[in-house]
Structure formats: C-alpha cells, structure tokens
Amino acid sequence: MAIAEWRQQLQLGKVSARELVDQQLERINEVDQKLHAFLDVTVERAYADADRIDEARLAGDSLPPLAGVPLAIKDNLCTKGINTTCSSRMLQNFVPPYESTVTERLWNSGAVLIGKTNLDEFAMGSSTETSAFGTTFNPWNTSKVPGGSSGGSAAAVAAGECMAALGSDTGGSIRQPASFCGVVGLKPTYGRVSRWGLVAFASSLDQVGPFANCVADAAEILQVIAGPDARDSTCLKASVPDYLSSLSQPLNGIRVGLISECFDQKGLQTEVKKSVLSAADQLKNLGAEIQEISCPRFNDGIATYYVIAPSEASANLARYDGVKYGFRAKEFESLSSMTSCTRSQGFGKEVQRRILIGTYALSAGYVDAYYKKAQQVRTLIRRDFESAFQKVDVLLTPTAPTTAFEAGTHADNPLSMYLSDLLTIPANLAGLPAISLPCGFDESGMPIGMQLISNVLEESRLLQVAYQFEQASSVMETAPGGHCIPF
Amino acid sequence: MSKITPEDVRKVAKLARLEIPEDQVEMYTSQLEDILSYVDQLQKVDTSSIPPTTRAVEVVNVLRKDEVKSTVVREELLDLAPQREGDFFRVPKILAD
C-alpha cells in the first residue's frame, strides 16, 4: 500500500493507525526470524505513536502528511531513549540522549517508529555481514545478502515489515541494497538532508535518505526530511521544492546520458546490462532523448573512495576511547591500554581494517601521496559530471554490477567486496543526488536495479524520471513468482 | 608504490590506538597490501595543477546569534560514561605512584 492510499484509508476511518501497527507487527513476527532485518522492534512506542494519530483523527484534527505511516530506521540514526548501536559492540548499550534531525522531522509529521534496522558495523560494508549482531538476509532468497550497509532497512521494506525506511549512503549504502532487494532507494544531494544525529562515518560523503516501495513514497519521505538545519553547518540553505508536484510531468525532451564506462565493466552481469539498456529504450519511448556520455575518471571512484572514506573514518572513530560513552574493555594495564583494548574489542575486523587504512593514508610521509592525491582525483571525477550535465539532464547506469550475491561470497577478500560499490561511489564523491529503482529480474528471479544520477539539488528531476519509468514499466508486476517471500 | 610490512601494520595500529593480536598481523598486512596496491592506480592519473576537493558541494560558514539555549543536560551525558565519579568521567590512574 502506498502512503497516499494509506492516508486516504486512515482519513476515511477504514483502518486505524493501531490496526496498521498490528498488521506490521504480525508480518515482522512471521518473517523476521528468517530475515533478521530488525535489531529492535519498538512495539510499545509504535502503539503509542499510532494511538496519538487515532485520537487526533477522532478529535477531527487535521492529520500531518505521514500520519500513522510505520517506518523503520537504520540503527546509526540517534533515537532519543532508544538503543542506537551502529551494529557494533562499541555502542551495544548506547541510548542516545537526543534525537536526530531527520527522525525528529518524521515524528513531527506523524510517522510511527516500528523499529531499528540492522547494518554493516558503522555502515562499513556492502552486505550487512559485518554487523556485530548477525547478518540480514535477502527477502527474495534467504541464502543471499540484502546488500549494505543499509541492508536491514532495504529488506524490511521489501518484505512488507514497514511502509518505508531510512538509511544512510556514504558510497552506495542506500542504493545498492535497494537494488538487491527490489525497492526504491534515494541518496539526496550532499547537504540536502541534515546529518545531525547520524553517527559519523565519512563526513564529506555521508547522506541520509529514504527506502520505499514506490517512487512517490520516496518523494513523500524526502519532502519531510529535506531542508536546512541550524545544527548541521553542511546542510544546504536552499528551500525545498514540492517533490510530488513534478512526478506526473511527461519526459518529452528530457536528455538521458548512458555513462559508457559503466557498461564496459568486466564484472558486469549480462542480465543487468541488458535490463538497464532496455530501461533506456523504455525511457526513449516515453519521450526522453538518449545519448552516450563518457566520464573518463568514473572507474577511479573506488580507489579515490577507499582513501578518502577510511581517512575520514579514522578521524571520526577516534572518539570511541572508552571514556565518555560506549563500551570499555574490562581488563587493561594503563590508560593507553584501556583505549586500545576497548577499541580492538569493541570494533569488528572491517572497522579496524578501515581505521588502519585511513591512519596509514594520513600518516606522515604518505598524506600527499594518498589523501591529497585522492582529493585531486575527486576534483576530476566532479568535473566529468559537470561536463556531462551540460549535455544531459540525468545519467543512467546499473546500480550494482550484479544482483544480490550469496552470503559469505566475499568473506576473505575485502577488496572484492569493495569493488561491488563501483557504480554508486562516484555520485557520493561528487555530492550528487542519485536514486535506485527496480528495472527487471535476472534468471534466478533476483531483482535488478537501475541508477539515475542528476545534478546538485535536482532531486525533482530524478524523481520525475524514476516515477515515469516506474509507471510505464510496472516492473514489480513482472516479478517471477509474484512477490518476494510469500513464506 | 606501497609494500606493506608487518612492521607497518604494528606501527599504524599503535597510531590508531588498536591492539592487533600478533596472530592477526599477517592477515591485516596482506589485506592492506591488496587494498593499497589497488589504490595505487591513482598515481597514474595526472593531477598536476588540479586543486583538491575537500567538500563536494560548497557551503559558506553558517552563523547564528550567540544566545543561551538548553541542550542535553549534563547529568544525562555523565550517565552515559562507562565509569562516572561525581561530576567526572573516571579513567585509570595516569601518573605512577
């Protein structure tokens, strides 16, 4: 059920917010033992939120835009009084004394918190397997990963355990799991959405965004969370347009660019390539003009990212020292061993690996060769996009080179896991908004996602193209076997 | 360019305040070597006279009035500490007897 449809049913009194919470909790009970999308299901809180909405409706008050909409929140967004763990032992018992800006805006708009979702530890990973609290599985096939790092949020939306969800995206952590789970995932422009209360990973790249079952729902969530925030100085001051009003505009004359470098990848699954190219044909039928565009430095994105993101992470995660909050090791000999024992027991291997890379790249003698060099290549990647957007309005690529892979595939090879973010990382490096939406299925019935990227602050354009494609293609109706996890 | 040695891993771990067990040094050494060798492709890119990007979308300083507002109270923050003593965070003794 889409948010607009739900709103109508609620207003007409056909279903109460409490009844919807009942249904969602029933669904979670039914499927989440197999999926493990949730770290915490906030039952009491969900009913309390829902009851407030039902009372307001009975009192004849006008209802806020997301009244009664049950949402799941990635567990790296601070929720006051509710555990926020980042899927790390380091924060296993951390209960934030404050609320993140994005979630505060959602609750003020009537949304209902249904639970907190699993992620790769501190959002570092592409499969949700680095979580300290167990892997999440893909609702379309539970031997496969849901993607990551926001795998819990993606799986929860795909499996109907919530109506929509929030994730965060540093190198593809919303778009890649959206692609693997067959849902819509949007990473807004860097700074469009406040990062206040998002546990920091790589501050120049992190951005919060929605997961939803359809493009219009993603637009509804973005509408609420976007906009300036005095508590985040990197949050852009630009006013927020009406994202829903642009959806229905036809695509006549819209210029869509296919990034040639993306389609020449060795590791690109044939069915993924075919499906995205056929999406391009459908966009053409809808009135868009298609052309090939070259972004020569696109494939340097991963190398650039794996210097910049770990460097920023090594600085951001220095705060976990066992003194002010979070985990502290039980046994140590001195203040300095208290810190190092706390960090090595509190962080998992992937997090420690990235701290080591970042510390190395920033250490004396290497900072110019690694960090500065990566920042310079970042400039070149940005410039490629700038010249592309002089010729086209949006860029089209696959979201990920493959559909969801089997759990354990990359267990002993971190670099091969990193390479799965090849197609999503460049948008983060350039700060651009990008959306992933389903465009087909592979032979084994796993969803394929396509990515649209637009210029800075042009989320309206992105949503419009995505919506028009979604309406015309009805991809989800072609799902082999109907829908995911009948169970 | 890079050739990571176990000694590098021990040194970086110390800088990062990580206690890497000796039997994991080998693993981290080879993984870091893999990753940093991959990253070395950047050395082939000509970046002479290219300015570095520190932030993707330019922003200007945000200023606000300097006025007193209530934020999270001190008690709540102190209560989050693994070990608290009165109004202080407690840590092990720093100076020897």
Side-chain angles (χ1 to χ4, degrees):
Chain A
M1 180 165 52
I3 292 174
E5 191 192 336
W6 154 249
R7 202 163 32 223
Q8 211 176 16
Q9 295 209 5
L10 177 72
Q11 269 158 358
L12 294 171
K14 288 188 176 163
V15 190
S16 70
R18 178 171 262 273
E19 283 166 328
L20 183 60
V21 169
D22 282 337
Q23 288 170 23
Q24 298 283 212
L25 293 176
E26 203 177 306
R27 182 69 177 157
I28 291 170
N29 279 334
E30 184 190 1
V31 299
D32 212 58
Q33 272 194 329
K34 289 176 193 161
L35 298 179
H36 191 234
F38 285 90
L39 294 174
D40 185 10
V41 179
T42 51
V43 177
E44 281 175 36
R45 163 70 187 269
Y47 280 122
D49 287 351
D51 287 347
R52 259 198 310 279
I53 296 297
D54 288 334
E55 281 158 27
R57 192 187 68 81
L58 289 172
D61 299 347
S62 71
L63 295 174
L66 299 179
V69 173
L71 297 181
I73 304 294
K74 186 179 185 180
D75 208 23
N76 62 349
L77 283 161
C78 286
T79 39
K80 188 177 180 177
I82 293 166
N83 254 30
T84 299
T85 66
C86 287
S87 288
S88 178
R89 280 194 71 195
M90 189 62 90
L91 293 176
Q92 186 163 11
N93 299 311
F94 175 63
V95 180
Y98 68 103
E99 188 77 25
S100 75
T101 297
V102 281
T103 50
E104 186 177 88
R105 288 182 180 171
L106 291 173
W107 316 143
N108 289 342
S109 299
V112 169
L113 174 64
I114 202 92
K116 302 290 297 282
T117 54
N118 200 12
L119 62 148
D120 282 295
E121 186 178 4
F122 280 97
M124 297 178 189
S126 312
S127 65
T128 320
E129 292 170 296
T130 74
S131 166
F133 309 125
T135 304
T136 297
F137 295 99
N138 193 307
W140 293 84
N141 179 339
T142 51
S143 71
K144 294 180 190 275
V145 301
S149 68
S150 314
S153 288
V157 172
E161 297 175 287
C162 56
M163 208 175 272
L166 286 190
S168 65
D169 190 315
T170 306
S173 281
I174 291 174
R175 289 159 287 154
Q176 185 255 23
S179 166
F180 280 13
C181 292
V183 296
V184 176
L186 171 68
K187 181 199 92 71
T189 304
Y190 179 79
R192 175 73 293 183
V193 172
S194 167
R195 291 182 295 116
W196 201 79
L198 168 69
V199 179
F201 161 13
S203 304
S204 80
L205 302 161
D206 296 340
Q207 190 63 192
V208 178
F211 285 94
N213 283 305
C214 61
V215 176
D217 284 4
E220 297 235 24
I221 306 282
L222 180 65
Q223 195 72 53
V224 168
I225 61 175
D229 177 14
R231 294 174 294 194
D232 174 3
S233 60
T234 62
C235 198
L236 301 172
K237 281 191 240 168
S239 62
V240 180
D242 180 349
Y243 294 117
L244 287 157
S245 68
S246 60
L247 296 182
S248 54
Q249 286 168 22
L251 297 187
N252 297 331
I254 296 256
R255 298 163 304 169
V256 177
L258 299 172
I259 303 179
S260 11
E261 285 78 7
C262 297
F263 292 91
D264 300 338
Q265 300 295 336
K266 266 184 291 176
L268 185 63
Q269 193 178 328
T270 322
E271 295 149 300
V272 171
K273 183 175 177 175
K274 224 177 109 186
S275 174
V276 176
L277 289 175
S278 119
D281 285 341
Q282 293 194 52
L283 289 171
K284 197 176 167 190
N285 292 338
L286 291 169
E289 293 164 18
I290 311 289
Q291 55 179 288
E292 269 201 33
I293 290 279
S294 174
C295 291
R297 298 261 69 90
F298 193 91
N299 290 338
D300 287 319
I302 293 193
T304 306
Y305 177 89
Y306 276 99
V307 174
I308 290 174
S311 296
E312 294 184 10
S314 73
N316 273 328
L317 272 61
R319 71 190 64 173
Y320 301 101
D321 55 7
V323 175
K324 298 179 291 296
Y325 56 91
F327 171 78
R328 178 190 285 190
K330 294 272 176 297
E331 284 172 35
F332 42 81
E333 287 151 10
S334 62
L335 179 66
S336 105
S337 83
M338 180 192 87
T339 304
S340 55
C341 291
T342 293
R343 290 165 63 77
S344 275
Q345 291 167 30
F347 292 138
K349 287 204 175 69
E350 180 59 27
V351 172
Q352 295 192 59
R353 190 153 40 235
R354 296 207 196 187
I355 291 174
L356 290 172
I357 297 168
T359 306
Y360 183 82
L362 292 176
S363 62
Y366 296 104
V367 69
D368 278 359
Y370 286 106
Y371 191 63
K372 191 178 169 209
K373 186 78 185 180
Q375 288 185 310
Q376 289 174 308
V377 179
R378 187 175 183 182
T379 303
L380 294 173
I381 292 170
R382 276 177 65 190
R383 287 183 182 172
D384 278 357
F385 280 117
E386 277 164 19
S387 54
F389 287 125
Q390 287 179 352
K391 299 179 202 127
V392 297
D393 302 301
V394 295
L395 293 162
L396 171 64
T397 76
T399 306
T402 65
T403 55
F405 44 83
E406 294 287 320
T409 304
H410 301 293
D412 302 318
N413 191 344
L415 181 61
S416 73
M417 180 79 88
Y418 296 174
L419 295 174
S420 73
D421 292 335
L422 177 78
L423 303 168
T424 45
I425 279 175
N428 297 81
L429 291 170
L432 302 170
I435 192 168
S436 177
L437 70 157
C439 64
F441 292 86
D442 72 5
E443 272 179 13
S444 63
M446 296 305 289
I448 297 170
M450 68 190 227
Q451 174 179 234
L452 294 162
I453 307 171
S454 74
N455 213 342
V456 167
L457 289 177
E458 291 194 358
E459 281 83 359
S460 290
R461 179 57 55 80
L462 212 53
L463 290 160
Q464 175 203 357
V465 178
Y467 180 83
Q468 291 296 323
F469 174 82
E470 176 190 69
Q471 296 301 307
S473 67
S474 307
V475 170
M476 297 317 281
E477 285 156 34
T478 69
H483 195 47
C484 68
I485 50 157
F487 281 44
Chain B
M1 184 180 71
S2 57
K3 186 70 204 160
I4 306 296
T5 63
E7 205 32 58
D8 289 328
V9 169
R10 290 189 197 100
K11 186 182 150 202
V12 174
K14 197 171 171 208
L15 289 173
R17 300 289 183 273
L18 293 171
E19 192 86 29
I20 305 284
E22 219 18 64
D23 63 358
Q24 289 178 17
V25 169
E26 186 83 5
M27 174 196 76
Y28 282 116
T29 305
S30 80
Q31 290 173 342
L32 258 60
E33 172 64 24
D34 274 1
I35 295 159
L36 291 166
S37 313
Y38 177 83
V39 160
D40 276 346
Q41 64 174 267
L42 297 181
Q43 303 308 323
K44 290 189 223 127
V45 183
D46 180 8
T47 53
S48 45
S49 79
I50 302 294
T53 291
T54 47
R55 56 186 71 84
V57 182
E58 237 6 92
V59 286
V60 285
N61 244 348
V62 181
L63 301 175
R64 59 166 168 76
K65 283 199 182 125
D66 185 19
E67 50 193 15
V68 178
K69 279 184 189 167
S70 75
T71 54
V72 174
V73 289
R74 191 169 65 156
E75 278 305 303
E76 285 182 63
L77 291 178
L78 283 163
D79 275 343
L80 291 171
Q83 212 183 349
R84 173 184 175 175
E85 191 171 298
D87 287 345
F88 300 96
F89 298 114
R90 187 171 174 125
V91 295
K93 202 183 321 186
I94 294 170
L95 300 171
D97 289 323

